[in-house]
Amino acid sequence: MKKLAATTLLLAGLAAGAEAADPVIYTTNPVPAVEAAQAVIKDKAGLTTGIITGGSGVLLRRIEAEKAAPQGDVFWSSSANTMGAFKDVLEPYSSPELSAVPADLRVADDYFQPANLHVVTVMVNTDQLDGAPAPADWKDLADPAWKGRIILPDPANSSTGYTIVWGLSKLLDAETYKALVANLVVSSSSSAVPKGVAMGEYAAGITFETNSYSYVDGGQTEISIVYPSSGTFTTPEYSALVKGAPAGDDARKAIDALLSKDSQIELLKVAFRRPSRTDIKVSDYVKLPELSSIKIFKIDEDEAAKSRDAFLAEWAALPKAGSSE
């Protein structure tokens, strides 16, 4: 996620005179997703919610700084390999809604709750292929012809980028991985990846499915989404209860609503967030493939979190094609 300065977002349901007991959600999510979630929380739990927005690192560090007197109630959302470093300011919560979530997405003691599932994809601008075929697999992007034409978020500054690069290092053989990395332009901004491809600055970008699909849904016919034939990988994003949440049980009710079927359907429709639940058929709501039709390579989120510093040091030493703001 792009690390923005945390700001207060005044949306429907957050008024200047809101009661102190109203749950406050610290969120990395975009406005359409937040508005959809607020509406479901209001409908299902009868709760008005305050919203603070920012990058995952900014918000988690803010929660850490406030631990003596918590100001927020719920964090929503980031990857386990980012949130793991902040477990001491978060509180386990086994929401009843987790009964609809696969066991392999849940973390020990339910410190975090799986809120949605990201699929790593290759976003391609076919207008920039110069008549060449679109890449079908990761090995295609390792060809020197792609040097400087692929953009990726910086794994040192982006949980999205870290998840992608860690997964590629495990999925690919060492030679293919290094060759692909040598072709990459590394962006300091996660959002610059899909924007750069959509604007034709790059022929391809490696990003989450939700980011790619927003341009397809928006009518850009030159944009296609590639699910590499040898396999790709997924990563859940999680919500969490802030330890000592001032709203108490209402904070738990807000998480229940966030994880509900109604909420995940709305988030799929407005923000293209693939549900973590198993009782939603994705293709009933958007033109995305069912997860069962995508070849998935499993990655170890715990290992990714524990190995972060050493892995990033290795990544920094690898040659790349360039960098971008």
Side-chain angles (χ1 to χ4, degrees):
M1 298 273 178
K2 185 178 179 181
K3 293 187 176 180
L4 301 173
T7 56
T8 302
L9 184 63
L10 298 178
L11 297 172
L14 177 57
E19 296 179 6
D22 290 339
V24 174
I25 300 175
Y26 287 8
T27 183
T28 62
N29 287 273
V31 172
V34 172
E35 290 179 328
Q38 282 190 299
V40 174
I41 293 170
K42 181 69 173 176
D43 181 60
K44 293 188 74 68
L47 296 171
T48 299
T49 47
I51 299 295
I52 303 294
T53 65
S56 55
V58 169
L59 293 174
L60 288 164
R61 286 191 294 272
R62 176 171 175 164
I63 292 170
E64 188 173 54
E66 295 171 347
K67 65 182 178 181
Q71 303 299 303
D73 299 283
V74 175
F75 173 79
W76 174 58
S77 54
S78 189
S79 62
N81 59 51
T82 295
M83 294 170 68
F86 297 89
K87 286 178 71 172
D88 63 327
V89 294
L90 304 174
E91 185 174 329
Y93 175 51
S94 298
S95 168
E97 296 292 342
L98 292 175
S99 62
V101 175
D104 64 352
L105 297 187
R106 295 172 68 170
V107 300
D109 301 320
D110 294 321
Y111 256 96
F112 328 130
Q113 302 79 37
N116 65 274
L117 187 68
H118 287 304
V119 180
V120 174
T121 61
V122 181
M123 179 180 174
V124 177
N125 187 324
T126 58
D127 284 351
Q128 304 303 315
L129 295 179
D130 300 325
D137 199 9
W138 300 114
K139 64 183 180 182
D140 298 332
L141 297 179
D143 189 306
W146 282 92
K147 190 176 183 67
R149 302 176 68 201
I150 314 163
I151 186 170
L152 173 107
D154 184 354
N157 296 317
S158 160
S159 59
T160 301
Y162 183 76
T163 296
I164 290 171
V165 175
W166 170 267
L168 287 174
S169 74
K170 300 301 178 183
L171 174 62
L172 305 177
D173 63 81
E175 182 179 356
T176 303
Y177 170 67
K178 290 178 181 179
L180 195 160
V181 170
N183 289 340
L184 297 175
V185 173
V186 180
S187 173
S188 60
S189 164
S190 294
S191 62
V193 174
K195 287 178 183 176
V197 177
M199 293 176 66
E201 296 172 1
Y202 298 92
I206 306 176
T207 186
F208 288 156
E209 175 186 58
T210 179
N211 302 325
S212 308
Y213 186 75
S214 62
Y215 292 92
V216 175
D217 184 75
Q220 285 194 235
T221 56
E222 74 276 18
I223 301 300
S224 64
I225 302 175
V226 174
Y227 299 86
S229 58
S230 64
T232 188
F233 38 96
T234 62
T235 183
E237 279 206 341
Y238 295 87
S239 61
L241 178 67
V242 176
K243 184 180 288 185
D249 283 343
D250 281 350
R252 294 172 178 83
K253 291 176 183 176
I255 290 177
D256 294 343
L258 271 176
L259 301 177
S260 70
K261 185 173 183 178
D262 289 346
S263 178
Q264 293 206 10
I265 288 172
E266 285 305 306
L267 290 168
L268 175 61
K269 291 194 299 186
V270 305
F272 319 119
R273 297 296 175 102
R274 189 177 284 271
S276 60
R277 301 174 64 102
T278 59
D279 56 358
I280 299 171
K281 188 177 181 181
V282 168
S283 56
D284 283 348
Y285 303 97
V286 293
K287 295 178 181 178
L288 287 172
E290 298 299 324
L291 195 63
S292 59
S293 70
I294 303 170
K295 188 174 181 180
I296 301 297
F297 175 83
K298 292 286 187 181
I299 58 174
D300 188 331
E301 295 277 0
D302 288 338
E303 185 188 0
K306 292 174 183 175
S307 305
R308 184 180 181 89
D309 290 345
F311 178 77
L312 288 175
E314 293 172 2
W315 158 264
L318 292 175
K320 290 102 180 165
S323 60
S324 173
E325 294 298 323

